[in-house]
Each structure stands twice: as C-alpha cells, then as structure tokens.
Amino acid sequence: MVNIIVELSKYLMILLMGIYTFSCFSIFAHNYESEQKWILIRQNVLMFLLQLTAYVVMYLKKDDPKILTLYAASAGFLLAVILLYRILYPKVSKLIVNNMCMLLCIGMIMLTRLEEENAIKQLIFAAVGVVIGLVVPVVIRKLDRLKDWGYMYAGAGILALVLVAVLAEVSGGAKLGFTIAGFGIQPSEFVKILFVFFVAANLNRSLEFKNIVITTALAAAHVLILVLSTDLGTALILFVVYLVMLYTATRQPLYVAAGLGGGSVAAVLAYHLFAHIQVRVAAWKDPFATYSDGGYQVAQSLFAIGTGSWFGMGLFQGLPDEIPVADTDFIFAAISEEMGLILSLCLILVCVSCYVMFLNIALALRNQFYKLVALGLGTCYIFQVFLNIGGVTKFIPSTGVTLPLVSYGGSSILSTMIMFGIIQGLYILREDEEENLERKRERELRNGTKRRTTKKKKTTKEPGFEEVPKQRVR
C-alpha cells in the first residue's frame, strides 16, 4: 500500500509544481490586482499541498517522528515568512516571496530525505536569513548614501578574500572559508553582494575612461584573488556580473569584447597553472573515462538523472546518497532522481521567473545606481543557477557552486536571502517612485485645470456689450 502511495505521490507533486510554475508566468497576463491576488494565493496553496504530500510520503516510508516535526517547523516557517512580508511590507513583490518560499520548500524536502540534521540546520539558517531580509528593505529606503561608498565596498570585499586566501584551509581543492563552532563560513558568498554595490557605485559616479580603468582594476583584483584560492565558481560569477553591468552602464561593446578576450586568456593560463582545474575539465570531457580520477561525481550525477527519467523514482525509492555532496553542489541530480526531471525543469523555470522579476525591477527604476544594483544581483543569481545545473548535467565543467535557496549551506542561504531582501527593498522604492509620479501628475492636472478656469474668468468685455448675470441653478 505504501509503495502505491509513493508512486501516486510523485505524479501529484509534479502536477502541483507544474501548475505553480505556469502561474509564475501567467500572472503577467493579468492586469487587475484582484486577479493577481487570487493567483498568488493559489500559489501558496499549491506549495503547501506539495510540501504536505512529500512529508507524508517520507513519514510513511521511514516511520520517523522527526519527519513530522520537521514538517510542522518548515510549514510554520514558510507561513510566517509569507505573512510577515505581507504585513510589514504591503508593497512587496509577492511573486518573489512565493518563489523564494517554493525554492526553500523543495530544498527542505530533499534535505530531509538526504540528512535530517542538515535540514534542521538549513531551517535555522533560513530563519536567520529571513530576519536579516526583513530588515534590509528598511536600510535600502532610509540610507540615501549607499551610492557614495564604492571604495568601501571594494576594500571590504578584497580584504575578506585575502583573509580566505591566506588563512583558510584547502577543502575540495579550493580555499573557500573558515569553520567556526562547527559552522562553515564562506565569505565569498557575501563578497558577491559587496562587489555588485561597488561596481554600481563607481559606474554611477562617472563613466569617464579613467574611472572605468580604476573600476576594472579593482574588479580584476577580486577575480584574481579568487582564482589564486581556486574558487573558480565565484570568480566566474564576478567576472560575468562585471561585464554585464559595465555594458549596461556604458553601452560600449568594445569593453565587453576586451573583457571576454582577457577572460579567455586568463582561463587558459589558469588551466595550465592549476591541476585542480585540469581534473575538472577532464571529468567534464569524459566522466566515465576518468571515473576513478575526478569523474566520479559527474558520472553518478548523470546516472541519477537518467535513472529518475521524467517522473522520478519517488521519495526514498532512489539512491541519491550515492551522489557525492548531494546536499550541496549536486542537489539538482538528487531532486531529478527521486522527484523527476519534469519537476526539476519546473524548478529551473521558477528560478527564471525570479530573474524576470529582477529585470523588471531594474528596468522600472529611475535611479541609475539602484538600477545597476538590481541588474547585478539578478545576473549574479541566475548565473549561479546556470553554473550549478550546468555542472551537474555535464553541460559545463563543474565549478563547485551551490543552487541558491535549494542546496544546503549557511553562507549560501544567508547571502541569497540578503540578496532577495535588497531586491524587495528596490521593488518598494520603485513603488514609491510610481506613487510620487502619480501624485505629481495629479497636481499638474489640478493646476492646469485651475489655470484654464482663471483665464476664462479674465476674458475682457467687448465695447457696447454688457455682461448678462448668470442664473443660479437651484
């Protein structure tokens, strides 16, 4: 009986996820606020139904009371996030809140399946991240001088990366961070945010060639330190983010071409200098030929995705534990094996929906600094998604980055929650701009009407004509 329930549940979860994903894009076709409101509420219902289905199946398979406790805690947490954002920030983008919660929900389900202790830690990290994320919009609205601290962002970011390069221990072939009281801290996750603010502030201040050279040199320093630490995933993210922001600010294809050329040369040099990179490239070319020498991770990932096929094996029906670092770098493969490739593709589309919202906010903002910040954070987010899933599916060499909000990792989830909090703050600023513009238009309309009325009253009488008194309408 339990096996039948598990088999049926995977189709139900795919259906719920598919409807949710469709609504992420269909909502843009509805112009009325009442229609969008019901779509957003329906998304919440679908998410909680999917979560309930998954945890019931896991409890039936494992018969562990901890799973029910985790379900109650995670469901209460997601409900609290939705309500807090709606109560504290009525102008917030509810679609971004829903997508953030759905990604956290999928991640919690798979982490509970893989390792309950990690799921508990992830829930704690997410709770801390939400608290910080709720404070960030206030900071964005109150601090008007964020655009004046460009070199402070750069200095803090470079200092943090230097400390990691000098003091951190090598883990997985790279220097990533420190371990304090049993918790790993990866400063580069937070440096990504500082980097975006630094580039936005400098490009907002001036687009003169001298300033661009200085900005490029400081951006290159970030990337170079990361390369020396062999944290190639973050280095590549910062490189792409800088090129996108530079082109958006200057509209000069020559800068992008020069950046791509320099990046290509640097990539070739890094390949010849670091054996760690050579192993990953060899594993990408043929993971089965290098199965015992670096290709094991990618090979197991491909096995898992192929085994799960379109509809998945069902929770606790596959072998995601055989995938190395399945809870962090390769969680997408674990999801594909047990929850199906269709649900995994929907997960990608939810991430794309977040990016579309980031771009909409960037395009609507009138302040150039905030526009660049929104664009930079959006590019940082979606490119990290691409690097993670591309490495898992052997589309590109594995870079060791996490899938934001889904993979296990304290620094990763905290930085992503801060990133989403900044985006929400910018969305609220955009709404404030729209309201101020609307009030200005109304004032101009009223003033224009008064002027026209005054001109009519001041018309001169022609000689020989007497003004006829107006009759009072009763």
Side-chain angles (χ1 to χ4, degrees):
M1 184 63 182
V2 173
N3 290 334
I4 295 175
I5 294 174
V6 173
E7 189 67 21
L8 293 175
S9 69
K10 65 184 186 182
Y11 297 106
L12 177 59
M13 287 191 290
I14 289 172
L15 178 63
L16 294 172
M17 188 66 176
I19 298 173
Y20 178 94
T21 306
F22 176 77
S23 65
C24 287
F25 297 92
S26 65
I27 193 172
F28 296 107
H30 297 273
N31 297 322
Y32 296 102
E33 186 175 347
S34 59
E35 294 177 348
Q36 293 183 350
K37 177 183 176 181
W38 285 112
I39 292 175
L40 293 166
I41 292 175
R42 186 164 67 241
Q43 282 188 331
N44 294 332
V45 173
L46 292 167
M47 180 185 67
F48 285 115
L49 285 175
L50 187 150
Q51 185 186 41
L52 176 63
T53 303
Y55 276 91
V56 166
V57 168
M58 288 191 288
Y59 176 73
L60 290 175
K61 288 291 292 183
K62 203 172 180 182
D63 194 21
D64 185 355
K66 282 186 179 179
I67 292 178
L68 295 180
T69 305
L70 264 172
Y71 165 70
S74 58
F77 166 74
L78 293 176
L79 181 61
V81 172
I82 294 169
L83 293 178
L84 283 172
Y85 266 106
R86 293 191 178 187
I87 293 171
L88 297 178
Y89 302 108
K91 297 179 184 178
V92 81
S93 171
K94 297 177 181 63
L95 179 59
I96 293 179
V97 174
N98 286 354
N99 286 348
M100 179 181 72
C101 289
M102 176 56 88
L103 294 172
L104 287 170
C105 176
I106 298 295
M108 281 297 300
I109 290 170
M110 188 48 59
L111 290 175
T112 303
R113 158 64 180 94
L114 293 169
E115 181 58 54
E116 293 173 7
E117 294 300 322
N118 285 346
I120 295 171
K121 290 180 182 179
Q122 184 84 335
L123 194 58
I124 296 172
F125 291 137
V128 175
V130 166
V131 172
I132 298 173
L134 288 170
V135 174
V136 168
V138 177
V139 176
I140 295 294
R141 294 181 77 179
K142 297 298 183 181
L143 290 181
D144 296 329
R145 299 192 60 187
L146 290 174
K147 63 180 181 298
D148 300 328
W149 301 341
Y151 291 111
M152 291 177 61
Y153 302 134
I158 290 174
L159 178 61
L161 294 179
V162 168
L163 289 175
V164 172
V166 174
L167 302 177
E169 296 181 356
V170 177
S171 175
K175 291 184 177 182
L176 300 176
F178 311 98
T179 301
I180 300 176
F183 291 94
I185 299 175
Q186 190 172 341
S188 61
E189 291 288 345
F190 304 99
V191 171
K192 290 186 292 189
I193 299 173
L194 292 173
F195 181 82
V196 168
F197 272 82
F198 150 65
V199 175
N202 270 30
L203 294 181
N204 177 70
R205 183 172 60 251
S206 173
L207 293 178
E208 294 180 357
F209 183 73
K210 178 182 177 180
N211 185 61
I212 290 175
V213 170
I214 295 173
T215 306
T216 302
L218 290 173
H222 285 78
V223 175
L224 181 61
I225 297 169
L226 286 167
V227 171
L228 293 176
S229 302
T230 60
D231 187 358
L232 303 178
T234 307
L236 192 55
I237 290 172
L238 297 191
F239 174 72
V240 171
V241 166
Y242 180 67
L243 287 185
V244 170
M245 295 178 71
L246 180 62
Y247 176 74
T248 302
T250 62
R251 302 291 181 181
Q252 290 291 338
L254 184 61
Y255 291 147
V256 178
L260 291 174
S264 300
V265 173
V268 173
L269 290 174
Y271 174 79
H272 290 287
L273 289 175
F274 300 105
H276 176 63
I277 301 176
Q278 296 173 13
V279 170
R280 292 198 174 187
V281 172
W284 167 62
K285 288 181 177 179
D286 192 346
F288 302 101
T290 58
Y291 188 79
S292 59
D293 188 22
Y296 178 74
Q297 289 181 325
V298 180
Q300 287 296 323
S301 173
L302 296 177
F303 282 140
I305 295 172
T307 303
S309 189
W310 292 106
F311 301 103
M313 299 291 292
L315 290 169
F316 280 100
Q317 298 285 88
L319 296 171
D321 308 272
E322 299 295 323
I323 307 170
V325 290
D327 56 344
T328 53
D329 299 358
F330 285 82
I331 196 169
F332 183 81
I335 293 171
S336 299
E337 180 178 9
E338 293 205 334
M339 303 175 78
L341 193 55
I342 294 176
L343 190 142
S344 298
L345 292 174
C346 290
L347 183 67
I348 296 174
L349 290 175
V350 172
C351 295
V352 172
S353 173
C354 291
Y355 181 58
V356 170
M357 285 300 300
F358 288 8
L359 288 184
N360 284 341
I361 294 169
L363 291 172
L365 286 166
R366 290 174 176 80
N367 186 299
Q368 180 70 2
F369 170 69
Y370 291 130
K371 185 188 291 287
L372 289 173
V373 167
L375 177 66
L377 293 177
T379 304
C380 182
Y381 169 76
I382 199 64
F383 193 67
Q384 181 167 339
V385 171
F386 168 75
L387 288 180
N388 177 271
I389 298 175
V392 168
T393 57
K394 206 183 86 66
F395 185 75
I396 58 174
S398 177
T399 53
V401 298
T402 56
L403 186 58
L405 297 178
V406 181
S407 296
Y408 170 73
S411 299
S412 174
I413 199 167
L414 286 175
S415 66
T416 308
M417 298 290 272
I418 293 172
M419 194 181 297
F420 273 66
I422 294 169
I423 289 294
Q424 293 288 17
L426 297 181
Y427 185 86
I428 294 171
L429 282 180
R430 190 194 78 167
E431 293 296 303
D432 291 343
E433 287 180 351
E434 292 294 332
E435 285 187 2
N436 293 335
L437 185 61
E438 189 65 28
R439 292 195 192 99
K440 183 179 179 181
R441 288 172 180 170
E442 290 178 358
R443 286 197 301 269
E444 290 177 351
L445 183 62
R446 286 196 298 268
N447 292 337
T449 304
K450 288 180 181 179
R451 283 195 294 270
R452 287 195 296 272
T453 304
T454 305
K455 287 181 180 178
K456 287 181 181 179
K457 287 182 178 179
K458 290 183 178 180
T459 51
T460 57
K461 303 176 189 177
E462 294 183 18
F465 289 90
E466 297 293 334
E467 184 176 0
V468 180
K470 294 182 180 179
Q471 295 182 352
R472 187 184 297 275
V473 179
R474 297 185 183 276

